[in-house]
């Protein structure tokens, strides 16, 4: 995103000073995460990838780990790789309760997960509930 802004300025023949100001203002406006937060997210994501989805869902149910975009994304990816539709449906329930069910990125991951797990009907329901389908949505649905 930052690179796109800089390239746009360069294309418009803007002097490099303006480009650098834009870059600094974007950098300054982004929230910073501490190293501990980044390590925690990385640890969460890698543990889901190692097949500990059920444990992660139990922790999510108890409120031990946050139900956020990063968590849901990592869990859906792990369910898709494992072919676990039951755990995927649990993740989907959490996504609905959190209000993130209209997010196009998570919706596309749901379609992909259901399709990979062989549940075409669920993939179609997730597809139909998206507020707007994009190329990724259609591709995931066709692949399902």
């Amino acid at each position: 995103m930052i690179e796109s802004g800089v390239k746009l300025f360069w294309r418009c023949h803007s002097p490099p000073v303006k480009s650098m100001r834009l870059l600094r203002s974007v950098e300054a406006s982004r929230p910073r995460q501490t190293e501990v937060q980044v390590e925690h997210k990385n640890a969460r994501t890698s543990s889901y990838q190692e097949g500990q989805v059920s444990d992660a869902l139990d922790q999510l149910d108890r409120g031990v780990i946050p139900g956020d975009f990063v968590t849901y994304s990592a869990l859906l990816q792990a369910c898709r790789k494992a072919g676990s539709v039951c755990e995927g449906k649990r993740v989907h329930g959490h996504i609905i309760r959190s209000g993130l069910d209209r997010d196009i990125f998570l919706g596309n991951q749901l379609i992909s997960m259901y399709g990979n797990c062989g549940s075409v009907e669920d993939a179609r329901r997730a597809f139909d509930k998206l507020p707007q389908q994009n190329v990724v949505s259609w591709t995931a649905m066709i692949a399902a």
Side-chain angles (χ1 to χ4, degrees):
M1 179 173 131
I2 294 169
E3 289 178 25
S4 300
V6 172
K7 286 178 185 176
L8 177 65
F9 268 116
W10 278 102
R11 275 192 223 132
C12 295
H13 305 289
S14 178
V17 174
K18 284 187 180 178
S19 299
M20 291 309 295
R21 283 187 197 141
L22 173 68
L23 180 62
R24 285 188 188 115
S25 69
V26 170
E27 287 283 322
S29 67
R30 289 179 37 205
R32 297 281 182 207
Q33 293 183 338
T34 65
E35 287 184 33
V36 173
Q37 289 171 320
V38 172
E39 287 177 19
H40 179 68
K41 282 186 180 180
N42 290 342
R44 255 195 300 164
T45 304
S46 66
S47 70
Y48 305 153
Q49 300 305 325
E50 293 169 9
Q52 300 171 350
V53 177
S54 185
D55 293 338
L57 284 166
D58 292 340
Q59 291 178 359
L60 191 61
D61 289 337
R62 293 190 313 257
V64 175
I65 58 174
D68 59 12
F69 183 84
V70 173
T71 302
Y72 297 139
S73 179
L75 285 171
L76 286 173
Q77 189 175 23
C79 291
R80 182 181 55 80
K81 285 182 179 179
S84 177
V85 72
C86 292
E87 290 173 337
K89 286 184 178 190
R90 282 182 65 193
V91 175
H92 191 176
H94 279 281
I95 291 170
I96 291 169
R97 286 189 295 277
S98 71
L100 292 173
D101 55 324
R102 307 206 27 103
D103 179 84
I104 188 77
F105 183 77
L106 288 176
N108 290 340
Q109 283 192 312
L110 281 165
I111 296 166
S112 179
M113 183 272 301
Y114 282 129
N116 193 67
C117 293
S119 183
V120 179
E121 298 83 18
D122 289 320
R124 178 60 193 256
R125 276 193 286 276
F127 177 83
D128 289 339
K129 288 188 178 185
L130 286 175
Q132 182 176 357
Q133 293 87 5
N134 61 16
V135 174
V136 177
S137 312
W138 282 98
T139 303
M141 192 61 231
I142 291 168

